[in-house]
Amino acid sequence: MELQMKEKYTVTGMTCSACSAHVEKATRKVSGVRDVSVNLLQNSMTVDYDETEASPDTIIKAVTGAGYGAAVAGKTGGQASAAQASRTKDPAVQEARNMKNRLIWSIVFLVPLMYVAMGPMAGLPLPAFLTGLENGVTFGMVQLLLTLPIMYLNRRYYEKGFKSLAKGAPTMDALIAIGSSAAVIYGIYGIIQMGRGLAMQDFALVHQYHMDMYFESAGTILTLITVGKYLESRSKGKTSEAIGRLMDLTPKTAVVERNGEEQEISVAEVVPGDILIVKPGSRIPVDGVVTEGFAAVDESAITGESIPSEKTPGSPVTGATVNTSGFMKIRATRVGEDTTIAQIIRLVEEAGASKAPIARLADRVSAVFVPVVIAIAVIATVVWLILGYPVNFALSIGIAVLVISCPCALGLATPTAIMVGTGKGAEMGILFRNAESIETAHTVGAAILDKTGTVTQGKPSVTGVYPATGTSEEELLSLAAAAEKPSEHPLGNAIVEKAAAMNITLLPASGFEQVPGRGIRVIIRNETVMAGNAKMLAEAGIAAGAELEKLARDAAAQGQTPLYIAWGNSLLGIVTVADTVKSDSPEAVRELRDLGLDVILLTGDNEATARAIAGQVGIDTVIAGVLPQGKEQEVRKQQESGTKVAMVGDGINDAPALARADVGIALGAGTDIAIESADIVLMKSSLRDVAAAIKLSRATIRNIKQNLFWAFFYNILGIPLAAGVFYSILGWKLNPMFAAAAMSLSSVFVVTNALRLRFFNPEKKYPGKQNKPGSTISTKTNGGTEMKATMKISGMSCGHCKNRVEQALNGIPGIQASVDLDSGTASVTGTAAVDADTLTKTVTDAGYTVESVDISGS
C-alpha cells in the first residue's frame, strides 16, 4: 500500500540551472520518488514520494551524493514570530551576506594586482624591486601572491567546477575554474621560465615571459563572475518576505468570551467553538460565523473587492479581514493552519517552490563547449609532442586553447544585458525583481488580469445620478451626500466626494441610524431621508416608478450598485455607484492582444459585474466568482494546457496566483504582499506597462542571444589558431597574450551591445498600435479597409453615460469603441466601412451630442 508524502527540502550549493537539473536527476533515481520540483532561486526542492519506499534520509543522501547539501525545510507556523525566525535563518539571506564579503575582499586584492600587472603598460610607476628584467621573478611572484587570495575567496568555483567535471556534467563553474586555472598555471610556468633564464643569464628568455603572465586575467574573471552571483543571491534573499508579510496580517491576540468574561489570549490558543469579540477597526483573528451584532467588513485581503461586506448574524467571516465599523461576536470555526489566510500562505509557498527552473542558455552551451575545448587542448598538446616539438611549445599551445576559451565574456553576456534591461525598466517604472522574471516574460502567451484595482480604479465612484420628476441632480446629490456623510461607508463616501466635486452645499443632518442590510436614515429639515437598497424602499411603502426601476435594473446588470434616495414619503431619485474602469485599461488590453497574448479577466466578483467590465475593455474570456485558491487553480489550468502565463494583480488575494504564474505582475499601488509575491512590479500602476514589460523582456533576451554570439565569436575563430592548425602552413601561432586580448575584445562587444538597451522605446515598436483617446486625426475620409476615428461627444456626465455610448458604438458590426469620460472623446476602430454620419446617428440616438468626428483609413 502506497503512502504518498509531499515534503519540502532546503538545498545548498546550487549555482546554475545545470546544478538544479543534477539535483532533480539524482533525487528521481531514489526508489519511491514520484515527482521532484527544484527551485534554483529559492534553493528549495519539493518531493512527492511513497513513504514505504523512500524517506527524508534517502532523499538527502541522494542530493549530498550529487555534491550538494540538503535538509528538510522547517514547517511554516501560523504566527509572525515563526516567519521572522524563518527569515533570519534563511540560507539565501546568509548566502547574500557571504557573497558580499567575498566580492569586497576580491576587489581589495584585484586593484593592486591590476596596478602591478598593467601599470608598466600604462606608464605608471612601480617600486624599484619590481622593475627591470633582473626582478622578473619577483614581479611575477607578487602577482601570484595577490591572485592566490582571490582564488581562495572564490574557491567554491573550483570545488563545484572540478567536481562537475569529475561527474561528467560540467557547469558554468567548470568554465570559470578551468579558465582562471589555465591563466594561473601559465603564469606560474612563466615565473619558472624566468627563473631558468636568470640562472642561465638568458635575458631573452626572461623578456619572453616578463610581460606574458596572466594572473590579472584570473583575478578579473573570478571577481566579475562574483559580481553577477552576488546580485543573484540578493534576489534569492527576498523570496521569503511575502510569506512573512502574509503571516503578519493575522492578529497576535484575540478577545474571547469565556465564563461570561472577556479575556485576551494568543490566537494560537483559540479553539473551534470559542466566541470571539471583534470591535471596530480590529482584524478578525480566525475564520468563523457571526453570532451577534452587525458590521461592515473589509474583505479586500481575501476577495480583492474594495467595498466592505455587511455582516449580520449567520454571516461567515474570514480571518485577517478588517471590521471597519460595528460591533460583533463570532464563533470560531477554523483556526491555526486551517484558516483561509493560512491556506493562502501555503499556496504561495508551494507555487513559488514548484516553478520550473529556467535553463540558462550559457549553461546549456557550456555543457558542450567545456568538454570540447578540453579535448581540443589535450589533443593539440599531444599532437605537437608527437610531431617532435619541445614540451614548452606543446604546453603553450594547450594553454593558449584554454585561455581563449576563458568565460569572461560568457560570464558577462547574460548579467550585463539583464542589468541594463532592468535598469531601463526601472527608469520606466517597471521593476523586475530578479533575472528569471525578465528571462521568462518574453515567453508569455496569456495574460490573466485581476479586476478590482487592476482593470478598474479599485474604489467606488458615482456613475450616474437619476432624479425623479420634479427633482434636480443638485438637489438629489445634496440630500444624498448630507445623509451619507456620517456613515463613512465607501459607497457613501463616493457620493460625498461627488457632491464636493460639484461644489454642492450639504444640508445639516441629525439622528443618523444605520439599518443592517438595508441602508441609512437621517433627519433633514424635520423629514426622514433614507438612502439604501430596494428592500429599504419597499419596507417604507415607497414606490420607485417604472422608469427608475428600469434604470436600477440596467445599472445592476452592468455591475453598478443603485442607491434609492427618499425624503419623507417621496422618492427623489437613484444614485448609482460602481468601481469604474481605468482610462488606460482598454488601450492596455489592445496592446496585449497586439503582442499575441490571450487576455483573461479573473475576479472574485459576480459574473454580471465582471462581464460588464470585460465588455468595456474588450476582454472576451471572463472567469468570475473565484476565491484566492480558485485564482491559483485557474492559473494552473492555463499552464497545464502548455501556455506560459502572466498574472496581473494588486491584492493580497492575488498572491497565490501571482506566485503560481510563470510571471507574476503586481501594480505598485497594490498591497505589499502582492508586490512581494510578484516577479515584476509596475510602480506607475498603469496596466499599459504590462505590454511594455513584455516588450522589454523580448528586447533583453534578443540582446542576450546577441551577446552570447559575440562571447563565442572570438573563441570559435581563435581556437583553431591557438591549437596551431595554421602553424605548419602559414607559421601562425596564437600567443596567449593575443588570446587574452581576444577575450577582452569580446567583452567590450558584449558590454557595448548590452548598453544599446538604454535606448529601448516601447512606444516606437508597438505593433498595431491604436490611437489614444483624445488624439486628433486630420484625414476626413475612410480611404482604406481599416478605420480609425476620434469622436468629440458632449452631454456625458457619468460612468453610465460612458457605458451607454460604448454599447451603442460597439453595436455597429465590425466596430470597437472606447470612451474617455474625462476628455469627452470616443476612440473608434474597426474594419467596417463606417462613415461619420453613421457614427453620429448612433451616438445621437443614444441621447448625446456629437461635436466632431475625425476618421482616417489605412
Side-chain angles (χ1 to χ4, degrees), residues 515-576:
V515 183
R518 300 293 186 267
I520 61 169
R521 291 193 191 100
V522 297
I523 303 298
I524 298 178
R525 290 181 177 175
N526 299 320
E527 285 282 358
T528 300
V529 174
M530 292 184 292
N533 56 27
K535 291 181 180 178
M536 187 177 200
L537 200 71
E539 289 173 0
I542 301 174
E547 184 177 351
L548 288 178
E549 281 289 0
K550 184 178 184 303
L551 283 171
R553 285 196 303 271
D554 291 344
Q558 294 171 13
Q560 302 174 38
T561 302
L563 293 176
Y564 295 83
I565 312 299
W567 190 12
N569 294 321
S570 303
L571 179 65
L572 297 184
I574 295 175
V575 179
T576 56

Side-chain angles (χ1 to χ4, degrees), residues 290 292-296 309-313 315 325-328 489 512-521 531-533 535-536 539:
V290 177
E292 181 182 329
F294 166 80
S309 175
E310 294 180 345
K311 300 297 181 179
T312 56
S315 300
S325 64
F327 172 90
M328 62 180 174
H489 192 283
F512 175 80
E513 179 188 359
Q514 190 169 22
V515 183
R518 300 293 186 267
I520 61 169
R521 291 193 191 100
N533 56 27
K535 291 181 180 178
M536 187 177 200
E539 289 173 0

Side-chain angles (χ1 to χ4, degrees), residues 243-319:
I243 306 297
R245 289 181 184 271
L246 278 170
M247 290 178 176
D248 290 340
L249 285 176
T250 305
K252 311 299 182 297
T253 60
V255 178
V256 180
E257 189 178 76
R258 289 179 178 172
N259 301 322
E261 297 181 358
E262 292 185 12
Q263 301 177 17
E264 186 172 349
I265 64 173
S266 169
V267 172
E269 297 176 32
V270 177
V271 296
D274 275 343
I275 300 298
L276 309 181
I277 297 172
V278 185
K279 299 177 181 179
S282 61
R283 287 189 181 274
I284 297 172
V286 297
D287 295 357
V289 176
V290 177
T291 60
E292 181 182 329
F294 166 80
V297 177
D298 179 359
E299 296 183 318
S300 59
I302 303 299
T303 66
E305 299 310 311
S306 56
I307 300 175
S309 175
E310 294 180 345
K311 300 297 181 179
T312 56
S315 300
V317 291
T318 307

Side-chain angles (χ1 to χ4, degrees), residues 151-504:
M151 297 178 71
Y152 178 76
L153 287 165
N154 297 283
R155 61 190 178 278
R156 284 183 59 185
Y157 297 133
Y158 300 99
E159 294 170 355
K160 301 295 182 183
F162 289 125
K163 186 176 290 186
S164 69
L165 277 175
K167 292 182 178 294
T171 64
M172 189 72 176
D173 290 336
L175 281 173
I176 301 167
I178 292 175
S180 58
S181 297
V184 172
I185 290 171
Y186 186 80
I188 294 172
Y189 176 76
I191 292 174
I192 295 172
Q193 290 299 98
M194 284 191 293
R196 286 183 58 219
L198 289 172
M200 297 183 299
Q201 296 294 305
D202 185 356
F203 287 96
L205 182 60
V206 177
H207 182 269
Q208 178 183 348
Y209 289 98
H210 185 252
M211 299 303 293
D212 199 17
M213 293 175 291
Y214 301 101
F215 294 114
E216 78 282 0
S217 295
T220 302
I221 290 166
L222 293 169
T223 304
L224 286 175
I225 296 298
T226 301
V227 170
K229 294 292 185 182
Y230 168 62
L231 294 175
E232 183 177 309
S233 67
R234 285 187 62 189
S235 296
K236 292 180 180 180
K238 294 181 180 292
T239 56
S240 62
E241 292 182 10
I243 306 297
R245 289 181 184 271
L246 278 170
M247 290 178 176
D248 290 340
L249 285 176
T250 305
K252 311 299 182 297
T253 60
V255 178
V256 180
E257 189 178 76
R258 289 179 178 172
N259 301 322
E261 297 181 358
E262 292 185 12
Q263 301 177 17
E264 186 172 349
I265 64 173
S266 169
V267 172
E269 297 176 32
V270 177
V271 296
D274 275 343
I275 300 298
L276 309 181
I277 297 172
V278 185
K279 299 177 181 179
S282 61
R283 287 189 181 274
I284 297 172
V286 297
D287 295 357
V289 176
V290 177
T291 60
E292 181 182 329
F294 166 80
V297 177
D298 179 359
E299 296 183 318
S300 59
I302 303 299
T303 66
E305 299 310 311
S306 56
I307 300 175
S309 175
E310 294 180 345
K311 300 297 181 179
T312 56
S315 300
V317 291
T318 307
T321 56
V322 181
N323 178 7
T324 59
S325 64
F327 172 90
M328 62 180 174
K329 293 182 180 180
I330 67 170
R331 185 180 70 256
T333 56
R334 292 191 297 177
V335 300
E337 294 191 355
D338 294 329
T339 62
T340 301
I341 194 69
Q343 291 173 2
I344 293 176
I345 291 170
R346 283 198 297 273
L347 284 171
V348 172
E349 286 182 320
E350 292 174 4
S354 65
K355 284 184 178 177
I358 301 167
R360 299 184 184 277
L361 185 57
D363 287 319
R364 292 202 300 269
V365 174
S366 68
V368 177
F369 181 69
V370 176
V372 168
V373 168
I374 294 173
I376 292 174
V378 172
I379 292 171
T381 303
V382 172
V383 167
W384 287 109
L385 286 173
I386 293 174
L387 292 176
Y389 284 81
V391 173
N392 64 333
F393 179 90
L395 186 60
S396 69
I397 288 287
I399 291 176
V401 171
L402 290 174
V403 168
I404 201 168
S405 70
C406 205
C408 188
L410 183 60
L412 289 171
T414 299
T416 49
I418 292 292
M419 289 177 67
V420 178
T422 52
K424 182 62 182 179
E427 289 179 17
M428 300 163 57
I430 301 169
L431 302 183
F432 294 91
R433 290 185 56 80
N434 48 56
E436 281 75 10
S437 59
I438 200 169
E439 284 182 289
T440 308
H442 84 288
T443 63
V444 167
I448 297 180
L449 311 181
D450 173 53
K451 181 181 73 68
T452 305
T454 302
V455 176
T456 66
Q457 296 289 351
K459 59 176 290 188
S461 60
V462 174
T463 56
V465 180
Y466 307 104
T469 304
T471 305
S472 65
E473 284 192 14
E474 290 75 12
E475 183 181 2
L476 176 59
L477 273 175
S478 175
L479 288 169
E484 292 285 1
K485 190 172 183 179
S487 74
E488 296 185 355
H489 192 283
L491 294 181
N493 289 340
I495 296 175
V496 174
E497 288 174 6
K498 178 68 172 179
M502 296 177 64
N503 295 317
I504 294 175

